[in-house]
Amino acid sequence: MADPYLRLDQLEVTFTGGRSPVRAVNGVDLTVDSGETVALIGESGSGKSVTLRAILRLNPEKKTRIGGKVTVGGRDVMGLGNKALAQFRGGEVAMIFQEPLLALDPVYTLGDQITEAIRRHEPISKADARKRALSLFERVRIPSPERRLDTYPHEMSGGMRQRAMIALALACNPKVLLADEPTTALDATVQIQILLLLRELQREFGLSIIFVTHDLGAAVEVADRIAVMYAGRIVEEGSARDIIHTPRHPYTIGLLKSRAHGAMTKGRRLDAIAGSPPDLADLPKGCAFAARCTLATDPCRQTQPELIQTETGTRARCLRTDQTLTRPGELVGA
Amino acid sequence: MSRQPLLQVRGLKKHFPLERKLFGGAGKTVHAVDGVDFDVLEGETLGVVGESGCGKSTTARLLMHLIDPTIGTIVFDGAPVENTRLSLRNYRRRVQMVFQDSYSSLNPRLTIEASIAFGPEVHGTPKKEALARTHDLLERVGLEPARFAERYPHELSGGQRQRVNIARALALQPKVIILDEAVSALDKSVEAQVLNLLLDLKEEFGLTYVFISHDLNVVQFVSDRVMVMYLGKIAELGRSETVFGNARHPYSTALLSSMPSIDPDNRTQHVPLAGDPPNPIDPPAGCRFHTRCAHAETVCSLTEPPLAQVEPDHQAACHMGVAGSGHSRAPEARTAAAAE
Amino acid sequence: MAQAVLPPGEIEVEAPVKAQGYWSTVWQRLRRDPVAIGAGTVLLLLFGMAIFAPWVAPADPLQGSMIDRLKPIGTEGYPLGADELGRDMLSRLIWGARFSLLMGVTPVVFAFFIGSTIGIIAGYAGGITNSVIMRTIDVFYAFPSVLLAVALSGALGAGFGNALLSLTVVFVPPIARIAESVTTQLRSRDFVEAARASGAGALTIIRVHVLGNVLGPIFVYATSLISVSMILASGLSFLGLGVRPPAAEWGLMLNTLRTAIYVQPWVAALPGVMIFATSISFNLLSDSLRSAMDIKT
């Protein structure tokens, strides 16, 4: 089997700016094949966005300590020089954000921003670059693209801006698209449009996508595989189907159970996960979820569980998977 | 038995002038809420859903009388709410609100007990009694008073702060609580905890909720009745099961099918609704939804459909549901007349 | 069936944190800031010097001696030299601190109260009230502050009291403007809405919810004006519109010594050094205060 296109080995990110170091990411191993979409799911503080930023080395260098290895297309990202890094960002790996208004430059038209980005990476004429920008706008289904190229970001609606940002990200034919909660701020009817667009573009361009979200539904709509993060670690990982139907980590199970959904009886209480996530500046020695887990035993609190292959297909970082078998689909009311 | 409507809203409108012109000439106007009529029944949870610009948050602020309506009336418990100090003071004791942003809605310089006790003290409760009630409420929302009462908002997590906001709303012993996206900013696992708390409190204190949210899953879970809003108007209003199970307005249908599927084997294949919600500055004439509606016909761009009864306890503002409206899918006038 | 989840409704558990007030946190942060400590110490020394001038000063600041005119720094009996009338510079600088600090601080204190009141009222009321008040305030912006101070003092006549008054008038508009903008921002915060929703009147809301949040930023801004005030006051005295001779005041001293700049440049520069040191200390302290008060959640 061919090597995965993108690979994270024992990625660690520690923020050293504050009073005590904050261990945002604590040893993440993740592989993404060419043309594969992986969703990173987690709550605020789980380290999902930090992981994503680490791939592009976007975290502030002076206040961040990064450990482990990031390999993209056979190249070690941590070892890239300034020039190679600039080429790598956008050219090989591009990123889209939750709030396009903050990510796009307010003083240039969208057309200018895209042509500029293309010309930074490739020696082509302005007219050719603009032609490509136009075809990108058509690809992301922006109505009357010719006219929209000459508008400023604030003149567009939220959905259009997100499409424009995707066009900008795809401008230099990247192989990998990193998506940081790109649909969270959008309205429901627009969110589904963007999710389907991403799915379509992924197929067409053979992109590898890492899609960061806190929303299981959005993840299921786009992802082939899902990795669930908690306190800076991937606690469970597997195909979207296995994660939804037969999850084995108590946290994943808890997330699925605490979801309000239509099939549930009116007035019934939700099975909420008790407690709140641990302090990243003071992580427990053992499993970070142990304090909130009903199955936790002393070994859970003492040792850091390894990711193990379960017989239902997922890999879970849990010592008690013998206790977590559910009827397939039970948790989502199937 | 018919329940007495606790809140009756009639013809409520709020227009915001976009730019104030110094010398005459009307500037543009945002039609944030553009004529809505609905009731809130005692003891129910009325869910309000819609996308940005649909007017749901403005409706909440109007209900709370934080902004004055351009026109329209709100009747609470049989008596109209008037814009006088005394009337508002009494009204606000009975109707309270919880905001989306748990941090911004607490004064950063006050301890949480001071924030909660503020309301009762304003209404003349002696300080000692107000504090005692505050501690009871903290206990009730799951925050141990001994540990939390004297903390400041930034020392709490988002979920804990939202519990404080709920306690503050309860401090005046209201009958109605307006929850404006009250759980939307919380992480999913915390959201479930707070939803459970809201359910418990409702039962314990016999509360009535107006639950505003963009999350249809949550609205479906908590609501007895649901109101779907689009561009300042009510598109559909009815019992939760009927609206979710048998939506009669094409917008509601589209909104429902926009919910991401949780089944990996059955992902959404087609975009249910194209385009972005239009701007409430210049709402389209006729039916406001006709610009995005798959079933739109000439009549839709000409006349505005009334919010009409489509079955008992279920209203929709769509020409397709009104007999003789001129829409090809409308029921025959005769059959409709016979049914009545 | 898995039992992976605790019984519902449990609260979020975390280690208890000792509750700490906002201002005590600010104070702690300030104490850890070396710049703040340095500037604070300098100012403390200056104020101590001013208060205890009669005891600290080695000689009478008004007693001159024609023989000792413009003695250089280090002369016996005149550790910092003597001025153009043979008065002891050290003593005059110490006594001068009284007037100079008074002229620096008092107008800002008055302007702080007046400006904050105007600004908070305008900011909280909003609408037409705001427009009327703030446009009136804007009129004062038409004049450069130095010109305004000079013009007012000139019109009122020279003298210490009039100088204070004109400086106060100069500082009210900028403080009112800051107060207005902070209050306007605050007014749209949800907790002010929530307070209105609980039925509280405007005065109660201002007292409980607004003041505590706006006075801090206004105060920081006001401290940064102290140095400006000192320099303006010195300028007024320099022009003969402030403190009158023979009283010791740094600006005035700078004026009278300017003729000696070629004879005894170091002595002539001393009042300027004092003004510089004091204003820079106020500015540094104000900067530190600003960053100490910027507590993020």
Side-chain angles (χ1 to χ4, degrees):
Chain A
M1 195 178 118
D3 269 354
Y5 191 75
L6 182 149
R7 180 183 197 105
L8 307 180
D9 288 300
Q10 282 300 306
L11 182 72
E12 289 186 18
V13 182
T14 310
F15 294 121
T16 50
R19 213 175 298 170
S20 45
V22 173
R23 295 165 58 197
V25 179
N26 300 296
V28 162
D29 294 308
L30 185 73
T31 60
V32 185
D33 288 329
S34 297
E36 187 186 31
T37 304
V38 176
L40 271 186
I41 286 204
E43 300 183 281
S44 47
S46 62
K48 53 190 194 308
S49 291
V50 179
T51 304
L52 207 62
R53 273 148 213 270
I55 298 174
L56 279 179
R57 285 173 45 192
L58 287 177
N59 297 305
E61 302 223 344
K62 281 194 183 128
K63 292 180 178 167
T64 319
R65 208 166 53 227
I66 296 188
K69 231 173 127 185
V70 178
T71 324
V72 179
R75 281 197 295 172
D76 175 17
V77 176
M78 293 304 150
L80 292 178
N82 278 344
K83 212 163 165 196
L85 185 64
Q87 188 62 37
F88 172 76
R89 291 179 180 159
E92 182 117 18
V93 178
M95 187 154 174
I96 56 176
F97 300 87
Q98 175 173 349
E99 189 35 85
L101 209 48
L102 298 178
L104 295 169
D105 194 325
V107 299
Y108 291 102
T109 64
L110 291 162
D112 284 349
Q113 291 186 51
I114 297 177
T115 30
E116 166 67 16
I118 297 174
R119 278 159 58 85
R120 208 162 37 214
H121 285 91
E122 292 168 45
I124 66 173
S125 76
K126 219 168 183 169
D128 286 346
R130 187 171 161 100
K131 235 179 258 164
R132 193 144 110 211
L134 184 65
S135 78
L136 280 165
F137 261 41
E138 282 162 0
R139 273 312 298 120
V140 298
R141 301 247 179 75
I142 292 180
S144 41
E146 183 85 46
R147 191 167 55 79
R148 298 293 175 119
L149 273 179
D150 296 318
T151 55
Y152 291 90
H154 70 268
E155 296 171 323
M156 294 181 125
S157 64
M160 284 307 137
R161 274 201 291 267
Q162 198 56 266
R163 286 169 196 267
M165 185 158 66
I166 294 172
L168 178 63
L170 297 180
C172 304
N173 301 314
K175 302 280 185 299
V176 181
L177 184 67
L178 307 178
D180 190 2
E181 306 240 13
T183 61
T184 306
L186 299 175
D187 282 319
T189 57
V190 181
Q191 158 167 320
I192 195 77
Q193 295 168 14
I194 300 291
L195 291 174
L196 293 193
L197 176 69
L198 281 176
R199 222 158 74 190
E200 191 185 312
L201 293 171
Q202 186 269 330
R203 258 200 314 268
E204 186 168 329
F205 291 85
L207 285 169
S208 304
I209 298 181
I210 303 184
F211 185 91
V212 161
T213 180
H214 67 273
D215 181 0
L216 274 165
V220 168
E221 286 288 1
V222 295
D224 304 311
R225 273 195 300 136
I226 294 179
V228 182
M229 285 193 75
Y230 187 78
R233 287 194 182 85
I234 292 179
V235 292
E236 185 161 19
E237 189 252 293
S239 71
R241 194 168 190 288
D242 291 339
I243 290 281
I244 297 298
H245 286 298
T246 51
R248 298 299 289 277
H249 195 283
Y251 177 64
T252 320
I253 294 173
L255 274 186
L256 281 164
K257 277 179 132 182
S258 62
R259 257 178 79 249
H261 60 88
M264 60 201 334
T265 343
K266 174 108 331 202
R268 204 191 75 174
R269 297 168 53 100
L270 294 165
D271 281 330
I273 307 176
S276 54
D279 181 359
L280 293 174
D282 183 25
L283 282 176
K285 191 165 133 218
C287 171
F289 188 63
R292 303 173 76 185
C293 180
T294 44
L295 295 171
T297 54
D298 275 337
C300 297
R301 288 181 267 269
Q302 293 309 316
T303 53
Q304 189 49 244
E306 290 301 316
L307 266 183
I308 54 157
Q309 182 68 47
T310 67
E311 68 283 8
T312 50
T314 70
R315 298 196 302 144
R317 199 180 279 282
C318 179
L319 300 175
R320 307 274 295 169
T321 47
D322 54 324
Q323 299 291 312
T324 59
L325 201 59
T326 51
R327 188 166 55 73
E330 170 188 330
L331 300 170
V332 286
Chain B
M1 181 207 86
S2 83
R3 284 190 288 182
Q4 152 89 17
L6 197 55
L7 270 171
Q8 284 174 292
V9 176
R10 291 294 173 265
L12 197 63
K13 284 191 186 184
K14 181 69 191 178
H15 295 175
F16 295 104
L18 204 56
E19 52 210 88
R20 194 175 296 141
K21 293 210 171 152
L22 203 52
F23 301 106
K28 287 185 172 176
T29 316
V30 179
H31 299 246
V33 173
D34 213 6
V36 297
D37 305 270
F38 62 92
D39 292 340
V40 182
L41 308 179
E42 178 147 23
E44 76 166 349
T45 299
L46 174 70
V48 182
V49 296
E51 299 178 277
S52 53
C54 76
K56 53 190 197 300
S57 281
T58 309
T59 307
R61 283 180 156 69
L62 285 169
L63 279 183
M64 199 63 243
H65 233 289
L66 285 173
I67 46 179
D68 293 329
T70 308
I71 195 168
T73 53
I74 299 171
V75 177
F76 178 75
D77 223 355
V81 182
E82 303 195 25
N83 204 359
T84 60
R85 228 186 130 187
L86 191 71
S87 166
L88 278 185
R89 247 174 101 91
N90 282 329
Y91 177 67
R92 282 174 173 160
R93 208 160 57 197
R94 322 310 305 279
V95 182
Q96 279 290 301
M97 181 159 172
V98 177
F99 299 82
Q100 169 171 12
D101 184 343
S102 68
Y103 188 67
S104 162
S105 48
L106 287 172
N107 185 341
R109 303 280 180 276
L110 291 187
T111 57
I112 61 172
E113 64 177 2
S115 276
I116 298 172
F118 177 75
E121 282 174 36
V122 163
H123 286 273
T125 313
K127 199 168 184 123
K128 230 174 146 186
E129 204 182 313
L131 270 187
R133 193 191 293 169
T134 298
H135 287 202
D136 280 352
L137 283 169
L138 278 174
E139 187 95 58
R140 194 55 210 82
V141 298
L143 299 171
E144 208 183 305
R147 269 175 55 202
F148 289 95
E150 288 175 15
R151 289 207 203 172
Y152 287 86
H154 70 265
E155 296 167 323
L156 304 182
S157 70
Q160 291 167 339
R161 277 199 295 265
Q162 208 55 307
R163 288 169 192 269
V164 174
N165 284 317
I166 293 168
R168 175 184 46 200
L170 288 171
L172 289 169
Q173 297 166 320
K175 292 185 90 159
V176 182
I177 298 187
I178 299 163
L179 300 147
D180 186 6
E181 302 272 8
V183 296
S184 307
L186 303 175
D187 274 324
K188 288 289 163 195
S189 69
V190 179
E191 176 185 280
Q193 296 170 1
V194 175
L195 282 174
N196 280 339
L197 174 69
L198 287 172
L199 290 183
D200 294 347
L201 292 173
K202 186 181 170 194
E203 194 150 318
E204 184 173 339
F205 295 103
L207 298 167
T208 302
Y209 287 156
V210 177
F211 191 96
I212 298 169
S213 176
H214 67 280
D215 186 336
L216 293 163
N217 281 316
V218 173
V219 168
Q220 182 175 16
F221 171 68
V222 297
S223 308
D224 300 305
R225 290 194 309 140
V226 175
M227 177 161 104
V228 183
M229 291 186 73
Y230 188 77
L231 282 185
K233 296 260 184 197
I234 298 173
E236 186 158 3
L237 175 61
R239 297 201 51 77
S240 176
E241 308 87 73
T242 11
V243 172
F244 279 92
N246 180 26
R248 297 294 286 274
H249 195 288
Y251 176 65
S252 318
T253 319
L255 200 60
L256 290 174
S257 28
S258 295
M259 283 153 79
S261 149
I262 192 73
D263 182 359
D265 300 329
N266 194 12
R267 307 204 288 197
T268 311
Q269 293 307 324
H270 302 286
V271 168
L273 188 58
D276 286 9
N279 204 319
I281 296 172
D282 265 321
C287 172
R288 303 213 158 170
F289 186 58
H290 82 263
T291 50
R292 295 171 85 193
C293 183
H295 309 296
E297 295 181 4
T298 331
V299 58
C300 301
S301 53
L302 295 176
T303 33
E304 194 181 314
L307 186 63
Q309 199 83 16
V310 287
E311 55 184 316
D313 267 342
H314 190 179
Q315 297 163 286
C318 177
H319 286 307
M320 293 194 291
V322 181
S325 65
H327 195 287
S328 63
R329 292 181 180 225
E332 299 259 331
R334 201 161 37 83
T335 24
E340 268 177 30
Chain C
M1 164 77 211
Q3 274 305 310
V5 168
L6 273 180
E10 298 278 317
I11 66 145
E12 301 155 52
V13 194
E14 67 176 52
V17 187
K18 197 189 157 291
Q20 195 178 34
Y22 173 75
W23 290 109
S24 64
T25 315
V26 170
W27 174 236
Q28 270 184 14
R29 288 169 59 136
L30 214 51
R31 268 195 338 203
R32 273 198 293 270
D33 182 356
V35 178
I37 295 292
T41 316
V42 170
L43 289 176
L44 224 63
L45 284 175
L46 283 168
F47 275 99
M49 202 168 90
I51 293 166
F52 300 110
W55 297 278
V56 182
D60 184 343
L62 304 178
Q63 180 62 56
S65 149
M66 290 314 269
I67 326 158
D68 295 330
R69 283 167 59 190
L70 294 173
K71 281 277 189 242
I73 295 172
T75 315
E76 205 189 328
Y78 298 101
L80 291 179
D83 71 358
E84 77 287 354
L85 295 175
R87 296 173 291 199
D88 178 34
M89 273 304 276
L90 177 61
S91 306
R92 279 185 71 75
L93 286 174
I94 291 173
W95 280 89
R98 287 193 150 185
F99 271 123
S100 292
L101 289 176
L102 204 62
M103 299 266 289
V105 176
T106 324
V108 175
V109 171
F110 284 139
F112 175 72
F113 285 112
I114 302 169
S116 300
T117 313
I118 295 175
I120 291 172
I121 290 172
Y124 190 79
I128 293 172
T129 319
N130 179 306
S131 301
V132 170
I133 295 180
M134 293 320 287
R135 292 302 81 79
T136 313
I137 289 285
D138 282 348
V139 172
F140 288 88
Y141 269 96
F143 307 98
S145 56
V146 181
L147 196 66
L148 187 62
V150 170
L152 280 171
S153 305
L156 293 168
F160 179 64
N162 288 341
L164 282 189
L165 185 63
S166 59
L167 286 175
T168 306
V169 174
V170 168
F171 291 124
V172 167
I175 291 181
R177 184 175 266 195
I178 294 288
E180 187 261 351
S181 81
V182 196
T183 312
T184 307
Q185 271 172 33
L186 192 79
R187 203 172 73 112
S188 59
R189 293 273 292 276
D190 288 342
F191 69 84
V192 178
E193 295 256 276
R196 286 177 58 211
S198 67
L203 278 180
T204 320
I205 295 177
I206 290 182
R207 181 172 55 83
V208 179
H209 292 289
V210 177
L211 282 185
N213 287 288
V214 300
L215 284 186
I218 306 174
F219 180 72
V220 169
Y221 178 71
T223 49
S224 75
L225 287 180
I226 292 179
S227 59
V228 181
S229 173
M230 276 200 49
I231 293 167
L232 278 184
S234 306
L236 288 181
S237 302
F238 183 91
L239 293 173
L241 290 169
V243 178
R244 280 188 246 201
E249 196 273 340
W250 297 340
L252 188 65
M253 287 164 71
L254 201 60
N255 182 15
T256 51
L257 276 168
R258 76 178 192 281
T259 46
I261 193 91
Y262 298 110
V263 190
Q264 282 298 345
W266 294 112
V267 172
L270 279 174
V273 171
M274 295 303 287
I275 295 171
F276 176 75
T278 317
S279 29
I280 210 131
S281 299
F282 271 119
N283 272 349
L284 289 175
L285 192 66
S286 147
D287 272 354
S288 301
L289 197 58
R290 189 201 319 274
S291 54
M293 281 169 54
D294 184 24
I295 297 176
K296 297 204 186 75
T297 50

